Amino acid sequence: MAIRKKSNKNPPVLSHEFIVQNHADIVSCMAMIFLLGLMFEITAKAAVIFVTLQYNVTIPATEEQSSETISLYHYGIKDLATIFFYMLVAIIIHAIIQEYVLDKINRKMHFSKTKHSKFNESGQLSAFYLFSCVWGTSILVSENYISDPTSLWRDYPHTLIPFQMKFFYILQLAYWFHAFPELYFQKTKKEDIFRQIVYIGLYLFHIAGAYLLNLTHLGLVLLVLHYFVEFLFHISRLFYFSDERYQKGFSLWAVLFVLGRLLTLILSVLTFGFGLARAEDQQLNFSTGNFNILAVRISVLASICMAQAFMMWKFINFQLRRWREHSSSQPQSVKKKFVTPKGKTSRKDR
C-alpha cells in the first residue's frame, strides 16, 4: 500500500520531512510485518495476538436459548496489542483519505491555510463518524438495544459481549489513539495541539471507561448518538466551505446538539440512578467485573455530566462567535451601499 506525496525535493532519510512525507509507507511496512507473521508457524502465535480479537469464550448450545454455540468475548491485557495493530491500520486509512480524496478537493477549491486545515479535519472526522454511526446502529438493532432500553443496565455486569461489539470498541480506541501521531504527521500548529489533545483525551477516557467498567451497552448508545450529531456538524462545515451561503446545516445541528445532550443525560441518569441503583448485587468484585457501587456510579455520572457541560460551554461560545461575525458583517455591507454612490458623484464633480 504505497502512499507517497509528490515532491520535487528529496529530504534526507529518517529526517523530519522524510518521516512526514512517507509515514504511510513506513506504517504500511510495520503492519505487513504482523500480517506476514501469520504465515509462519514460529511467529503465528505472536502475530495472532495483534491481528485477531482475544479472550474468546464459547457458550454451548442449550434447548432453551439457542440451537447453536455462541462465541462471546471479554477484555484483557492482550487487547492493547490488538489496539496497536489497528491503530496502524487507522493511520494508513487516514493517509489514503487525505491524499486521494481531500487533497484533490483542496487543489480544486484553493482554500486558505486556515480553511485547508479545518476542511481536512472535517473530512476525516465526517468519514469516521458516518462509518461508526452505521456500524453502531446495526449492532444496536441486531442486539435489540433500541427496542428494549432496560438492556442498558439489565444483567449487569456485561462482561461477555459479542464479536461485533468488542471489535467496535477496539477500533474506536485504535482510531483515537492514532490521532496522537497524526498531530505530528499533519504538522499541527502549536496553538492547536493542546485543544486537540484535550479533544482526543476526552474520547479515550470515556470510551475506555465504558469498555473497562463493562458499561458497553450504554457506551454504544451514547457513542452513536454523539457521533450522529458530530457528523452533522462536520458535514455542514464541508458544505459551508464549498458555499459560504449554506447555513441550514448548522441550524439543524444546533437543535440536535442540544437534544443530544439532553438525551445523553436522561439515559445516563436512568441507567445509574434508576437501573443499576436498584440492582441486587451492589458489591465491588474485580473477578466478576462488577463495579456497581455507589462511588463508581456517582463518579461515572459526574464525568458524563461534566463532559456534557463542557460541550455545551463550547457550543455556546461557538454560537456567540457566529452571531458576532454575522452582526459585524451587516453594518459593513450597509456602509458599502452608502459609500459607493458618494464616490461616483465625486468623480463626476471632478
Side-chain angles (χ1 to χ4, degrees), residues 196-244:
Q196 292 288 346
I197 290 176
V198 172
Y199 184 76
I200 298 165
L202 284 173
Y203 274 107
L204 286 174
F205 177 76
H206 288 90
I207 295 172
Y211 187 62
L212 296 175
L213 295 176
N214 296 314
L215 295 167
T216 49
H217 294 187
L218 176 65
L220 178 62
V221 173
L222 297 185
L223 271 179
V224 171
L225 177 63
H226 176 73
Y227 282 170
F228 176 71
V229 177
E230 290 296 296
F231 169 74
L232 285 179
F233 170 75
H234 287 285
I235 201 69
S236 299
R237 193 158 73 162
L238 290 176
F239 282 114
Y240 173 77
F241 288 146
S242 60
D243 185 2
E244 294 188 355

Side-chain angles (χ1 to χ4, degrees), residues 129-175:
Y129 288 144
L130 177 61
F131 170 76
S132 298
C133 278
V134 173
W135 189 12
T137 303
S138 67
I139 298 174
L140 292 176
V141 173
S142 62
E143 298 296 329
N144 296 322
Y145 295 157
I146 298 178
S147 59
D148 185 12
T150 60
S151 62
L152 298 179
W153 60 81
R154 191 178 64 245
D155 298 330
Y156 180 84
H158 307 133
T159 52
L160 297 177
I161 55 178
F163 173 84
Q164 291 288 339
M165 177 84 80
K166 175 161 184 175
F167 198 30
F168 179 85
Y169 272 93
I170 292 293
L171 290 187
Q172 293 298 313
L173 292 170
Y175 180 86

Side-chain angles (χ1 to χ4, degrees), residues 299-333:
S299 299
V300 175
L301 186 59
S303 175
I304 295 173
C305 292
M306 288 175 64
Q308 304 309 305
F310 175 75
M311 286 188 285
M312 278 301 299
W313 178 68
K314 300 285 288 184
F315 171 77
I316 292 171
N317 287 336
F318 175 78
Q319 294 296 335
L320 289 175
R321 188 171 63 251
R322 284 188 61 208
W323 290 334
R324 287 170 188 167
E325 292 175 356
H326 181 69
S327 60
S328 62
S329 62
Q330 283 184 341
Q332 290 179 359
S333 60

Side-chain angles (χ1 to χ4, degrees), residues 4-22:
R4 301 182 183 276
K5 292 186 177 182
K6 296 180 181 179
S7 178
N8 296 326
K9 297 181 180 179
N10 293 320
V13 179
L14 299 181
S15 64
H16 169 73
E17 288 297 326
F18 178 86
I19 295 174
V20 170
Q21 290 183 14
N22 301 279

Side-chain angles (χ1 to χ4, degrees), residues 249-262:
F250 288 116
S251 302
L252 176 62
W253 164 76
V255 175
L256 293 179
F257 182 89
V258 177
L259 293 177
R261 304 287 71 79
L262 291 175

